[in-house]
Amino acid sequence: MPEGLEAEIWRTACERLVGRMIVGVVVDERVTVVGFAAAVTGATIEGAHRHGKVVVLDTDGAAIGLHFGMTGRLIVDDTAPIERLAYSSGRDDPAWDRLVLYTTPGGRDGGRDGAPALRFNDPRRLGRVSLDPDLGHLGVDYTDVTPTRLAAALAGRRSVLKPTLLDQQVVAGLGNLCADEVLWWSGLDPRRRVDSLEVPEIARLASAIRRRLAVMARRGGSTHGVLDPTVRAQCPPCPRDATPLVRSTIGGRTTVWCPGHQR
């Protein structure tokens, strides 16, 4: 599913829409609120920001929240910043468009008359589109994690580490692949209880979240880590210590990890 890394790639792509007015809206009413089209038609896009896995288009009227679910993705000015998601369909079927925005030409990088400025394509219809989304329930964004902030987010929790990292109220933007990746880099067993972590271990985890996810973002997203989809499928020897990687189900999610150096 799209993680915070993918959402950031799409947010960056949406910056080219700044300065354009929304002149047409086609929306699947099953994934949004009543009155969505009327609320955003005529609004000018003023910016794009992201928190966790949610991209928000700021306008001079209502803000548009894009929540991608399991298989949602964006196409901006006929260009897909991410051609396909690793665990989704490789097709780009217009029948799967849940939101289409038409805008005036112009803005930061021009525009194309008659062509959609933005398409939110989702084959499984698990994503949604919101107005003025309230993101106050989300935890610290993965790009803003520090040892102190992570320790505060984990304080008082006695749950298992891996599913805790997937809780968006703890760290916003971590998904299954990124959680496995940062645990691998920080040498932490995903089955550990949160309250067993020592201060240096939390610091290592915070460092892995900040540093390693930035590397993956530059490479193209959550499938570009050490534990990429090929490694996850084959579970070869660990690149760090040659111990065979293990595929487990932890908190209901497939988890790939090394029982050698992750403790």
Side-chain angles (χ1 to χ4, degrees), residues 2 19-21 27 71 114 184 194 201 224 232 243 257:
R20 303 192 204 174
M21 178 185 292
V27 65
T71 54
W184 186 88
V194 170
E201 293 176 319
H224 293 268
R232 297 179 71 82
T243 301
W257 62 289

Side-chain angles (χ1 to χ4, degrees), residues 141-197:
D141 188 76
Y142 73 92
T143 59
D144 295 324
V145 166
T146 65
T148 299
R149 288 172 177 166
L150 183 59
L154 297 176
R157 295 178 181 269
R158 304 178 66 185
S159 50
V160 175
L161 181 55
K162 167 69 183 285
T164 300
L165 290 180
L166 296 180
D167 183 345
Q168 298 303 292
Q169 296 184 55
V170 177
V171 178
L174 288 185
N176 200 47
L177 273 66
C178 286
D180 283 358
E181 188 76 14
V182 297
L183 288 171
W184 186 88
W185 279 101
S186 55
L188 296 175
D189 187 328
R191 303 169 302 175
R192 289 268 301 271
R193 273 183 29 166
V194 170
D195 57 348
S196 74
L197 296 178

Side-chain angles (χ1 to χ4, degrees), residues 102-262:
Y102 295 89
T103 66
T104 55
R108 189 168 296 172
D109 294 300
R112 302 177 185 177
D113 286 317
L118 179 142
R119 295 168 48 220
F120 178 20
N121 190 267
D122 182 7
R124 296 183 64 186
R125 208 174 69 238
L126 297 176
R128 60 189 178 89
V129 180
S130 63
L131 287 175
D132 293 324
D134 180 4
L135 306 182
H137 64 287
L138 296 178
V140 59
D141 188 76
Y142 73 92
T143 59
D144 295 324
V145 166
T146 65
T148 299
R149 288 172 177 166
L150 183 59
L154 297 176
R157 295 178 181 269
R158 304 178 66 185
S159 50
V160 175
L161 181 55
K162 167 69 183 285
T164 300
L165 290 180
L166 296 180
D167 183 345
Q168 298 303 292
Q169 296 184 55
V170 177
V171 178
L174 288 185
N176 200 47
L177 273 66
C178 286
D180 283 358
E181 188 76 14
V182 297
L183 288 171
W184 186 88
W185 279 101
S186 55
L188 296 175
D189 187 328
R191 303 169 302 175
R192 289 268 301 271
R193 273 183 29 166
V194 170
D195 57 348
S196 74
L197 296 178
E198 303 289 342
V199 171
E201 293 176 319
I202 293 176
R204 288 207 314 267
L205 180 56
S207 176
I209 292 171
R210 285 288 297 271
R211 298 178 61 186
R212 300 314 310 179
L213 296 192
V215 172
M216 292 167 66
R218 291 193 294 270
R219 293 175 177 172
S222 61
T223 59
H224 293 268
V226 172
L227 304 180
D228 64 24
T230 299
V231 170
R232 297 179 71 82
Q234 298 176 357
C235 283
C238 174
R240 176 171 292 183
D241 61 14
T243 301
L245 295 174
V246 172
R247 185 186 301 108
S248 307
T249 300
I250 301 174
R253 303 298 299 275
T254 299
T255 303
V256 175
W257 62 289
C258 172
H261 81 273
Q262 289 180 246

